[in-house]
Amino acid sequence: MGDPHLLSSAHPAAAASSFARKHPGPIDERFSDPSPHITKRPRVAADTAATGGSAPYPEAEVRSLVMMAGGIYPLARAEALRGLAAVLGKVDAYRCFVAGIVECCYGCAVELMRDEDEGVRLAVVGLLGLCAQKFAARWDVDAKSDGDIMDLIFQQLSSMARDMCTKVRIEAFGALGKMQRVSEGVLLQLLSKKVIKTDTMSGTIIKGQKLPPKLKIPCAAGIFAHGIEDEFYQVRTAACTSLGALAKFSSQYAEKALDLLMDMMNDDTETVRLQTLQALFHMATYGYLSMQEKHMHMFLGLLVDANALIRNAARKILGLVNLPKLQMFKSAIDCLIASLEKNPEEQDIYGILFSIGKNHGSFSANIAKHLAKEIATASDGELILDRPRVKALMIVSISAPFSDDKHKKLDIPSIIFSHAISLLGKVSCALGEEVNQDSLLSYLCHKGGMPLWGNRSVSAEFGESESCKVETVEVGEQIENTAKATKCLDRVLVMQSVESILQTVEGAWTMRMSCDVCEARTILRTCKEELKVLAENSSGSIGAFLSFLCEYLDAIRLVVELWQLIQLDNSYTVGLTAPDILLEKLNISVRRMECCYAGLNRGLEVQVMELSLLANLLGLSNIGACSKAVLSKLVWVINRLEGLCADGSCELSDFSREIKKTFEADHIGNALIRNIHTSVELFRLKPTTDFGALKAISAVFQVCDNNSENPLSYICGLPVGVSFNISLWNISSNNRLWLHMSIGESVQHTFLEFSSFEGDGEVKSGSMVVPLNTTPMAHSFVLRVCLIMECYGGISSNQERHGGPSDCVVQLSDELDVYFVSTGQR
Amino acid sequence: MSIECLVLGAGQDVGKSCVVATIGGRRVMFDCGVHLFCRGRSSYPEFDRILAASGATDFTAAISCVVITHSHLDHIGALPYFTEVCGYHGPIYMTYPTKALAPMMLEDYRKVMVDQQWEEGQYSYEDILRCLKKVIPLDLKQTIQVDKDLVIRAYYAGHVLGAAMIYAKVGDAAMVYTGDYNMTPDRHLGAAQIDRLKLDLLITESTYAKTTRDSRRAREREFLQAVHKCVSGGGKVLIPLFAVGRAQELCMLLDDYWERMNWKIPIYFSAGLTIQSNTYYKMLIGWTSQKIKDNYRAHNPFDFKHVRHFERSFINNPGPCVLFATPGMISNSGGFSFEVFKKWAPSEKNLVTLPGYCGPGSIGHKLMSGKSTRIEVDKDTHIDVRCQIHQLAFSPHTDSKGIMDLIEFLSPKHVILVHGEKPLMAFLKERVESELGMPCYYPANNESVSIPATKNLKMSATERFITSCASEQTEDNLRKQKLICGSNMSEANTDRKLAEGILLMEKNKAVKILCEDELVQVLGMERHLVQNEPMVSSRTGAAGE
């Protein structure tokens, strides 16, 4: 704070109003009226705090807000609590518990938990939820801190879910669903109104607690049993959501929660039923949904429900769930077929049939056998493939080879495949768009024992790389299902897919060793496409990580291609050849990874640096001689890598160690070029999936009212102003941004002064008018503009800057065309 | 100041609820019910005790007002007797739906009185009408100033249409009488809803002091299964019920199920009683659950599609059917449900459901407690019971968890349990005292409990005192200022300051708080100094340095 004396001068209102400045809201008016001298000066303090991002000393804010929370006016109390939540949300986890801020906020929340005013209680729920998040974050950092506090908060939140105020209940159930850590005993207690007496339960709570646990429990017990029979459907909906969300913590809980959720299918409100299905879907994606026979009756009823939305949601769950018995599997298939016959327009049922079949390989093999018999015994024309039933069974049958249990040899009669050819359209539809029809056809022909289709080589498509293909198909399928269903992808699911993609990538990298470059390249491309799909559906740091991975795969692909070229052609050519272009692309890609992501953690940075090392090495080998610039860059990278690994948190890889050794032996770099093959062989892909709080730096800008139909006007030879609307994401004040404006060959750089932009740490946006100094003597022209950022990390070879940026830049945005027409021409 | 609580009925018992609370000299009578298993005067609360306790000569002088929580007979049955026979002419409060349902309920009871030929304690139909004319209707959360000091307010209680919890306040002393309430909503009524109030006393019902029920949804499923099984086997279902409340609830459930199953099997309502109450429900939509309030524009849920009127001649009709009949407990003494029970009980195809609570002595109680297959009606006749028995677990009363939740939510200073069975109440009392740490009582009928009540005193503080407090705090803050950055925050919650002063209470003067130095001045005395000569030389030596 700029002026700590002021804040502590026994005027809690002063601190509050400083807070209010930063968070314009209802509080603003209420507290700005006391004596003028206290309202004026804190503004200074607040402004200094605001420019530095988050407040440097939140302790003062917290202290005064806590004081206010003890006030006599309920609205002020509630506002103080919300203020605490806002401060807590901004402060990073580490600082939080060093200073005990979380404890302080938590204490304050607990004190007001039984407040008379419902607005205050509502704010308490929000603050408690946030405290829980912070405590959980601490757990991640420091495993020693005990989990009792989490359980306690959990129970406190549950007791809030029994509040008389509807809003509080909704909020409390929402907060419960977001909890990140809780012990099983506490969780199970939520489902049963009767107090469960288990050792683990009483043990965890009594320990270290002066108050007997009974004081907290009676209200919290069976909170979900209350929640699902609440009077208000909003509460029931929230309860269902949380009921499903918490299932990931315990399978025993999930089993019991399923009973409750199944009862909810009798609810009289459609919204609640749909939300229940959503919760079940959530459980199914986590693999915590174990359908039992007693649930089947209710569940199958949903598949033929009168409501299309319900049918659809129920089907989606069925596509993910694991059915333990053949009988259940068969009844599910029958029910789907019945539904298909009733509603022939719902073609997505085929897709679901395929995934069910795939999930239960041996069961579908069983179906296939029966179907084969049926086909064999049917005389010509009797078995009409058009019938939905046969179609459906066919799809189930051919899904069997794609099933997970590959260790079992599932022999599907070839007759199935040959018949399936006529259903090609349906099958490829069911598979989604991951596999094209031609390759599918050749696959079916191959399996069906028919002569090869056309002149395509079946073995090339499905021979050696079959496993790889199937894997990607599977991932794609799963992703698509969830992407469609949830709009926003679940983090866990995304990480699962990413891991499997990365495994595929590693496989592709080793495949490069075996000289099958084309195939490796295809796989890398497919993987990148998949990551892109994921990235489009994600946001926050996971979205940033996914786009980072896309970049990474791009670089790897370029390395693979470059390496192939270098291996093929050892004669050094002069001029801009394909390797030069690839190399430049690779460098740009590496640079983007270095600079366009804020908050790279050590693992990721090492990964980028190694890639940079590799790129430079390839650069050396491409030129054939050692350029000084490349060598100095090489030194820089090696030093940086050493620095990163200095504290032993990660190890220098064999690859980097080797290069370092070679380089130390011979500073000119000839040895490096000579040993390049062995060095590159040593390079291993080891992508990490730990991305911490990664943020993608990006920018979007536009020119107001301008397109080719509606150009801006100018006077030949005179400067003209162009007004831009610019939004920047995750840009810190250290970044140097330039507007790169080019007309044909001539280029103008304008430094972007964005300190006046409005917005929080994440998004800053503003508009500005940039003068274009010289306009050409022409009737009209097109100005190409893009935003670039200087890379402060790299070494600039060009010392003269001409007033522009250093030559080590990355492009932050797409290029934008701005159209101009001379005033005389209009 | 204290709150005096005289329990005239429903003390360690269920029936004739009546509690007279004296708060700061104001006497409020909560409920005025009859005991359904007694006859004559003994079924009424002993009103004379009020006169004895108050020393007044007539009830109007003794009692400030009467508040009725809901329309069940054990809460309202004695009201016409109290007003018309005993002669109470003061204000009577009840909610609009209660006032609407009351004549129907009371008239029903009056007929029983006539049937049973009570020798004393009867009241006439005119008495009922005269009595209800005096009633002042209440709305939810409406604050009523009964007189200069006494304030009452009603909160939604679930339980039955129009049921309310009553908040009463005189000065700073406040209490809540819950009447009967339900903490879980059902298909037609919402859950009890009350603000967090500062209470000295909570008088709560405790019908299910020891029972913890599982989810309502499981119970619904079981009930539907039982009915389904019986009806599809061609049997008849008898559902004996109290008139208002459960009938609507179960009717909605069955009507819904019939719709889904697309059945044409008739559902009958016995007397005009329940049909009539259906009409009340249709009118009083505002008092039902949220769902019904949301939906009734499109379709009034009380317009049952499959429900028909029952004629006496239908009893012997063949084929399956469902019949709702009163009274709920199937009492020996008569009633339509008993009549039908006699006819249907001997067939094992049929099903009889029993309400959640059956009073001792009733046939329902016998069926519930043992597997009695033979029921003696009187010396000559008996019934062989071969039919299926399904006990309804639907109850309009909250379970023990609900009671605890409400007590915890309101956090009163004292709790009194009424409307329950003695051993169960003792159990609940233990829980309240040990888990919530509140003193809890469960007086028997005609006992009275006195509890201390809050009284806030207004006092003034001298200027000097306030200045000294403020300056102390400023000093404290200045000291802390150095620590403010990077200091540990954990003590921030315990930052409250204690101020020291002297409280001066003089006769006929406002209470005052002052500084130590001012005391001498105010009292007009001289300051005396007492000096102690320390005798332990070694200690003084150490302190002096």
Side-chain angles (χ1 to χ4, degrees):
Chain A
M1 281 287 139
D3 196 349
H5 173 77
L6 191 82
L7 282 178
S8 54
S9 60
H11 278 296
S17 64
S18 95
F19 177 75
R21 296 281 157 213
K22 273 180 277 166
H23 301 268
I27 190 175
D28 212 340
E29 280 161 28
R30 234 174 293 134
F31 290 103
S32 54
D33 58 331
S35 49
H37 72 279
I38 36 172
T39 47
K40 262 186 193 166
R41 288 185 56 194
R43 189 189 294 243
V44 183
D47 285 350
T48 50
T51 46
S54 61
Y57 296 111
E59 289 86 349
E61 278 178 331
V62 169
R63 198 177 280 274
S64 41
L65 284 167
V66 165
M67 218 185 267
M68 295 207 36
I72 53 167
Y73 296 108
L75 286 176
R77 283 203 297 270
E79 207 58 53
L81 285 172
R82 272 192 282 276
L84 277 177
V87 173
L88 196 59
K90 274 204 303 184
V91 179
D92 58 293
Y94 178 74
R95 183 168 190 106
C96 260
F97 49 81
V98 163
I101 290 177
V102 191
E103 276 86 353
C104 181
C105 290
Y106 174 63
C108 184
V110 170
E111 211 162 279
L112 292 174
M113 219 169 75
R114 295 277 175 265
D115 197 273
E116 277 155 45
D117 188 80
E118 39 188 60
V120 176
R121 297 202 297 270
L122 196 62
V124 163
V125 175
L127 189 56
L128 270 182
L130 203 60
C131 286
Q133 274 178 29
K134 295 286 174 187
F135 279 122
R138 171 202 297 207
W139 182 302
D140 288 338
V141 180
D142 169 22
K144 271 175 282 174
S145 61
D146 61 353
D148 291 1
I149 187 87
M150 293 300 287
D151 286 349
L152 193 62
I153 297 182
F154 201 82
Q155 292 191 21
Q156 277 157 345
L157 274 176
S158 332
S159 72
M160 300 290 285
R162 191 77 179 116
D163 200 276
M164 288 280 179
C165 170
T166 316
K167 275 190 202 155
V168 176
R169 289 203 296 271
I170 297 172
E171 196 76 8
F173 275 118
L176 278 178
K178 286 190 197 117
M179 292 291 280
Q180 283 148 359
R181 191 177 299 276
V182 67
S183 65
E184 193 175 44
V186 175
L187 212 50
L188 288 174
Q189 182 61 76
L190 295 194
L191 299 176
S192 159
K193 278 196 201 173
K194 298 197 175 75
V195 175
I196 304 169
K197 281 183 188 126
T198 55
D199 297 337
T200 53
M201 168 97 173
S202 47
T204 51
I205 297 149
I206 292 175
K207 201 175 67 188
Q209 283 289 311
K210 267 187 192 168
L211 299 168
K214 276 180 182 171
L215 245 180
K216 310 280 179 197
I217 296 172
C219 212
I223 205 68
F224 279 123
H226 288 299
I228 61 163
E229 52 184 23
D230 198 277
E231 183 179 352
F232 294 85
Y233 76 90
Q234 295 95 327
V235 181
R236 294 202 297 270
T237 313
C240 279
T241 314
S242 301
L243 201 55
L246 290 171
K248 61 187 169 211
F249 293 121
S250 146
S251 51
Q252 201 188 342
Y253 163 87
E255 211 171 281
K256 289 190 174 160
L258 182 62
D259 292 345
L260 287 186
L261 283 171
M262 278 296 173
D263 270 349
M264 288 303 283
M265 298 297 178
N266 268 334
D267 198 277
D268 45 11
T269 312
E270 188 190 308
T271 329
V272 180
R273 285 204 299 265
L274 277 174
Q275 187 54 53
T276 311
L277 285 166
Q278 188 72 52
L280 287 176
F281 180 75
H282 187 87
M283 284 166 74
T285 42
Y286 277 102
Y288 269 122
L289 189 68
S290 59
M291 199 74 83
Q292 287 157 29
E293 230 158 355
K294 62 177 174 186
H295 302 133
M296 274 320 260
H297 178 74
M298 177 76 90
F299 194 78
L300 295 180
L302 294 170
L303 288 176
V304 287
D305 197 281
N307 188 326
L309 286 172
I310 302 243
R311 281 202 303 270
N312 197 14
R315 275 204 296 272
K316 267 187 218 144
I317 295 165
L318 200 56
L320 291 173
V321 88
N322 202 21
L323 303 169
K325 286 185 184 160
L326 179 65
Q327 198 47 49
M328 288 163 76
F329 176 75
K330 274 187 174 160
S331 60
I333 299 277
D334 287 344
C335 213
L336 277 175
I337 292 170
S339 168
L340 192 62
E341 276 163 354
K342 229 180 186 177
N343 316 287
E345 73 282 356
E346 289 177 354
Q347 293 292 316
D348 65 311
I349 293 179
Y350 289 115
I352 300 295
L353 280 167
F354 186 83
S355 18
I356 301 178
K358 198 184 69 193
N359 292 342
H360 306 86
S362 45
F363 292 163
S364 0
N366 182 304
I367 294 264
K369 252 175 237 158
H370 284 281
L371 186 64
K373 248 184 234 162
E374 206 175 324
I375 293 173
T377 52
S379 53
D380 284 339
E382 207 177 305
L383 181 92
I384 305 160
L385 281 173
D386 264 359
R387 265 164 51 199
R389 187 181 150 268
V390 181
K391 265 197 272 188
L393 292 180
M394 198 71 90
I395 300 255
V396 173
S397 308
I398 64 164
S399 67
F402 292 88
S403 92
D404 298 332
D405 34 23
K406 290 194 185 88
H407 51 93
K408 277 187 223 154
K409 258 286 176 234
L410 303 165
D411 42 314
I412 309 297
S414 60
I415 192 167
I416 297 281
F417 290 98
S418 51
H419 272 76
I421 292 171
S422 58
L423 289 174
L424 187 63
K426 286 269 160 358
V427 176
S428 77
C429 227
L431 278 168
E433 279 123 41
E434 295 300 319
V435 180
N436 73 9
Q437 281 203 10
D438 285 348
S439 47
L440 186 67
L441 181 57
S442 51
Y443 170 70
L444 289 177
C445 289
H446 168 68
K447 284 279 191 178
M450 292 207 171
L452 294 185
W453 173 262
N455 47 9
R456 291 182 68 93
S457 142
V458 173
S459 64
E461 284 293 331
F462 276 94
E464 292 100 80
S465 65
E466 186 178 0
S467 62
C468 201
K469 267 286 183 211
V470 169
E471 202 169 335
T472 50
V473 164
E474 206 175 301
V475 174
E477 176 95 358
Q478 207 177 353
I479 290 162
E480 210 162 315
N481 281 347
T482 37
K484 272 181 199 153
T486 53
K487 289 276 189 287
C488 193
L489 288 172
D490 187 85
R491 184 189 169 111
V492 172
L493 194 68
V494 168
M495 288 321 289
Q496 276 174 9
S497 328
V498 166
E499 261 160 41
S500 82
I501 288 173
L502 288 181
Q503 273 168 18
T504 322
V505 170
E506 279 171 63
W509 179 255
T510 44
M511 203 184 282
R512 170 203 60 93
M513 298 295 192
S514 60
C515 298
D516 204 347
V517 176
C518 270
E519 199 163 312
R521 220 165 61 185
T522 325
I523 292 170
L524 284 172
R525 276 226 175 88
T526 332
C527 289
K528 192 196 149 191
E529 288 307 311
E530 266 164 27
L531 278 176
K532 244 188 189 160
V533 172
L534 287 175
E536 274 162 18
N537 288 302
S538 317
S539 58
S541 56
I542 193 156
F545 178 60
L546 289 170
S547 71
F548 174 85
L549 276 182
C550 282
E551 206 86 61
Y552 186 71
L553 289 196
D554 246 353
I556 297 290
R557 185 175 53 84
L558 288 166
V559 168
V560 169
E561 287 175 16
L562 203 56
W563 185 239
Q564 188 196 15
L565 281 182
I566 289 169
Q567 274 181 326
L568 284 179
D569 183 16
N570 272 322
S571 63
Y572 303 120
T573 45
V574 189
L576 214 57
T577 54
D580 290 320
I581 298 171
L582 287 178
L583 198 59
E584 187 50 34
K585 276 188 182 170
L586 179 60
N587 279 329
I588 289 175
S589 191
V590 171
R591 212 180 298 151
R592 284 186 60 83
M593 271 187 272
E594 268 177 77
C595 305
C596 289
Y597 295 91
L600 279 179
N601 64 18
R602 196 158 292 186
L604 287 175
E605 198 165 355
V606 167
Q607 200 176 319
V608 174
M609 282 301 148
E610 286 203 344
L611 211 52
S612 171
L613 202 57
L614 185 64
N616 283 309
L617 200 62
L618 291 174
L620 272 182
S621 90
N622 186 38
I623 302 165
C626 295
S627 107
K628 207 173 173 193
V630 178
L631 277 179
S632 62
K633 175 82 184 174
L634 212 55
V635 175
W636 187 84
V637 173
I638 290 173
N639 285 340
R640 178 89 187 109
L641 266 174
E642 270 189 310
L644 284 172
C645 301
D647 67 346
S649 59
C650 41
E651 213 171 300
L652 215 55
S653 69
D654 294 341
F655 169 68
S656 354
R657 207 173 294 140
E658 175 68 24
I659 292 190
K660 189 182 157 218
K661 216 165 67 190
T662 332
F663 192 71
E664 273 163 3
D666 168 24
H667 278 286
I668 310 162
N670 286 330
L672 269 181
I673 298 177
R674 251 180 280 123
N675 291 338
I676 192 159
H677 278 269
T678 46
S679 311
V680 173
E681 294 294 298
L682 277 174
F683 184 77
R684 291 278 172 279
L685 280 189
K686 42 169 191 182
T688 61
T689 50
D690 171 30
F691 54 87
L694 195 66
K695 288 175 190 161
I697 296 177
S698 64
V700 165
F701 72 108
Q702 58 189 20
V703 179
C704 323
D705 301 330
N706 181 276
N707 53 41
S708 56
E709 298 294 308
N710 188 18
L712 295 172
S713 55
Y714 73 102
I715 299 166
C716 292
L718 290 183
V720 64
V722 190
S723 91
F724 292 101
N725 286 333
I726 303 176
S727 306
L728 306 172
W729 274 270
N730 301 315
I731 300 249
S732 79
S733 46
N734 303 334
N735 295 120
R736 290 166 59 83
L737 303 187
W738 296 79
L739 270 172
H740 176 96
M741 299 191 281
S742 62
I743 312 163
E745 294 285 292
S746 72
V747 176
Q748 180 193 329
H749 283 112
T750 308
F751 186 71
L752 191 67
E753 176 54 52
F754 57 87
S755 58
S756 61
F757 280 21
E758 285 176 5
D760 50 16
E762 199 189 350
V763 194
K764 292 192 176 78
S765 57
S767 57
M768 61 192 312
V769 177
V770 179
L772 180 62
N773 293 336
T774 47
T775 46
M777 306 299 277
H779 292 318
S780 63
F781 70 95
V782 175
L783 177 72
R784 315 207 75 183
V785 192
C786 70
L787 262 176
I788 56 177
M789 183 171 75
E790 275 183 43
C791 304
Y792 43 88
I795 292 168
S796 165
S797 57
N798 183 3
Q799 297 305 322
E800 309 154 50
R801 289 202 174 171
H802 306 296
S806 68
D807 70 340
C808 191
V809 293
V810 285
Q811 191 175 329
L812 272 189
S813 68
D814 295 333
E815 267 194 348
L816 186 76
D817 288 345
V818 189
Y819 301 90
F820 284 90
V821 66
S822 157
T823 39
Q825 302 301 312
R826 244 193 143 155
Chain B
M1 199 155 116
S2 70
I3 299 180
E4 194 85 27
C5 237
L6 173 61
V7 177
L8 288 180
Q12 305 178 357
D13 185 21
V14 177
K16 61 166 176 181
S17 289
C18 185
V19 173
V20 178
T22 315
I23 321 165
R26 310 284 150 184
R27 229 168 241 105
V28 183
M29 180 191 275
F30 295 104
D31 283 343
C32 191
V34 290
H35 206 299
L36 292 171
F37 304 115
C38 304
R39 290 182 184 200
R41 283 290 295 277
S42 61
S43 71
Y44 298 138
E46 293 174 34
F47 296 119
D48 297 338
R49 286 176 186 269
I50 303 171
L51 294 181
S54 67
T57 47
D58 68 302
F59 289 111
T60 317
I63 289 178
S64 304
C65 73
V66 175
V67 191
I68 304 292
T69 56
H70 64 278
S71 57
H72 282 156
L73 285 171
D74 58 335
H75 292 259
I76 199 175
L79 187 66
Y81 180 82
F82 186 56
T83 60
E84 305 312 312
V85 181
C86 298
Y88 167 76
H89 299 297
I92 306 162
Y93 295 97
M94 56 178 81
T95 61
Y96 283 98
T98 307
K99 191 181 176 185
L101 290 166
M104 192 175 76
M105 305 290 292
L106 291 171
E107 173 60 12
D108 190 45
Y109 188 64
R110 194 186 65 81
K111 280 180 192 156
V112 175
M113 287 197 274
V114 174
D115 282 352
Q116 293 180 350
Q117 297 168 353
W118 285 16
E119 282 156 16
E120 48 172 7
Q122 286 202 29
Y123 48 79
S124 67
Y125 182 62
E126 284 70 33
D127 286 337
I128 296 175
L129 294 184
R130 269 201 302 275
C131 160
L132 288 172
K133 249 186 199 157
K134 294 179 201 161
V135 168
I136 306 166
L138 263 178
D139 216 335
L140 286 184
K141 296 204 177 177
Q142 180 193 5
T143 308
I144 287 193
Q145 194 87 40
V146 177
D147 58 28
K148 195 162 88 344
D149 304 312
L150 176 63
V151 164
I152 59 168
R153 197 184 305 150
Y155 287 98
Y156 192 76
H159 186 65
V160 71
L161 196 69
M165 306 199 222
I166 307 296
Y167 167 74
K169 185 180 169 194
V170 175
D172 298 310
M175 63 170 288
V176 162
Y177 175 82
T178 65
D180 294 354
Y181 61 100
N182 195 358
M183 293 287 280
T184 48
D186 53 34
R187 280 192 183 236
H188 74 298
L189 292 173
Q193 212 261 330
I194 193 164
D195 297 331
R196 198 183 286 272
L197 304 154
K198 274 200 180 108
L199 295 180
D200 296 304
L201 173 64
L202 174 73
I203 304 179
T204 173
E205 67 132 319
S206 51
T207 322
Y208 293 99
K210 213 174 174 176
T211 324
T212 308
R213 274 192 296 258
D214 56 348
S215 159
R216 190 189 83 227
R217 294 180 183 277
R219 277 174 269 146
E220 282 181 1
R221 202 181 48 215
E222 281 162 20
F223 171 70
L224 288 175
Q225 265 171 4
V227 171
H228 186 130
K229 212 178 110 198
C230 168
V231 171
S232 52
K236 292 176 166 64
V237 184
L238 171 64
I239 308 179
L241 279 174
F242 279 123
V244 188
R246 261 346 67 182
Q248 278 74 21
E249 163 81 6
L250 293 180
C251 227
M252 288 178 89
L253 190 62
L254 287 180
D255 206 51
D256 239 27
Y257 194 69
W258 255 237
E259 191 72 33
R260 253 188 285 163
M261 291 285 139
N262 207 6
W263 278 351
K264 296 280 176 280
I265 300 159
I267 302 174
Y268 293 118
F269 258 33
S270 69
L273 190 67
T274 26
I275 293 273
Q276 200 180 342
S277 61
N278 276 355
T279 3
Y280 283 113
Y281 270 86
K282 278 186 218 171
M283 290 188 316
L284 300 163
I285 286 290
W287 292 71
T288 55
S289 76
Q290 193 60 38
K291 160 90 179 162
I292 293 178
K293 276 187 251 176
D294 291 345
N295 284 10
Y296 91 103
R297 264 167 226 273
H299 166 73
N300 191 328
F302 295 106
D303 278 330
F304 300 113
K305 218 173 153 186
H306 302 267
V307 175
R308 263 149 253 186
H309 192 70
F310 192 76
E311 303 286 333
R312 235 157 242 272
S313 56
F314 292 175
I315 295 187
N316 295 320
N317 278 9
C321 70
V322 176
L323 171 66
F324 288 87
T326 50
M329 300 174 188
I330 321 180
S331 52
N332 273 352
S333 40
F336 189 61
S337 62
F338 178 64
E339 231 171 279
V340 181
F341 179 75
K342 274 194 289 190
K343 288 267 180 349
W344 290 2
S347 163
E348 56 256 0
K349 272 201 295 184
N350 295 345
L351 172 76
V352 173
T353 64
L354 296 174
Y357 179 83
C358 291
S362 66
I363 293 181
H365 195 263
K366 282 181 205 158
L367 290 175
M368 230 158 72
S369 48
K371 298 249 181 267
S372 66
T373 51
R374 192 185 157 93
I375 287 179
E376 308 281 341
V377 180
D378 49 45
K379 282 172 216 149
D380 312 320
T381 45
H382 67 264
I383 311 166
D384 290 314
V385 181
R386 291 195 207 89
C387 64
Q388 309 290 316
I389 306 284
H390 176 87
Q391 194 178 346
L392 288 181
F394 296 97
S395 171
H397 294 275
T398 186
D399 62 354
S400 78
K401 171 135 197 307
I403 300 173
M404 291 296 285
D405 286 355
L406 184 80
I407 298 176
E408 213 237 309
F409 182 79
L410 288 173
S411 303
K413 296 204 181 76
H414 303 268
V415 180
I416 291 182
L417 304 177
V418 293
H419 201 284
E421 287 164 37
K422 191 179 174 185
L424 305 183
M425 288 163 108
F427 174 79
L428 188 64
K429 168 197 151 79
E430 277 307 308
R431 276 193 68 189
V432 172
E433 290 191 338
S434 66
E435 287 176 26
L436 302 175
M438 296 163 194
C440 181
Y441 319 90
Y442 57 108
N445 279 347
N446 303 329
E447 278 180 14
S448 102
V449 175
S450 172
I451 61 137
T454 319
K455 184 168 167 76
N456 294 336
L457 267 185
K458 228 182 202 168
M459 60 179 194
S460 56
T462 59
E463 204 174 308
R464 183 114 172 252
F465 174 75
I466 293 172
T467 330
S468 77
C469 281
S471 66
E472 226 171 84
Q473 207 160 31
T474 320
E475 265 170 47
D476 221 51
N477 274 324
L478 285 173
R479 199 155 33 76
K480 214 175 279 160
Q481 184 193 322
K482 288 166 198 126
L483 297 169
I484 215 161
C485 303
S487 69
N488 198 320
M489 300 295 295
S490 50
E491 90 282 18
N493 281 330
T494 55
D495 243 6
R496 311 278 146 74
K497 288 279 129 31
L498 286 182
E500 235 173 86
I502 292 169
L503 193 67
L504 192 67
M505 292 173 89
E506 281 176 291
K507 253 186 197 165
N508 308 325
K509 270 190 189 174
V511 188
K512 220 183 211 176
I513 190 158
L514 21 109
C515 249
E516 205 180 338
D517 332 347
E518 286 174 305
L519 186 66
V520 187
Q521 203 185 329
V522 169
L523 296 179
M525 289 189 193
E526 262 177 59
R527 195 185 183 100
H528 300 277
L529 276 179
V530 180
Q531 279 188 327
N532 285 320
E533 203 62 47
M535 295 301 283
V536 187
S537 57
S538 61
R539 284 231 180 136
T540 24
E545 276 168 22

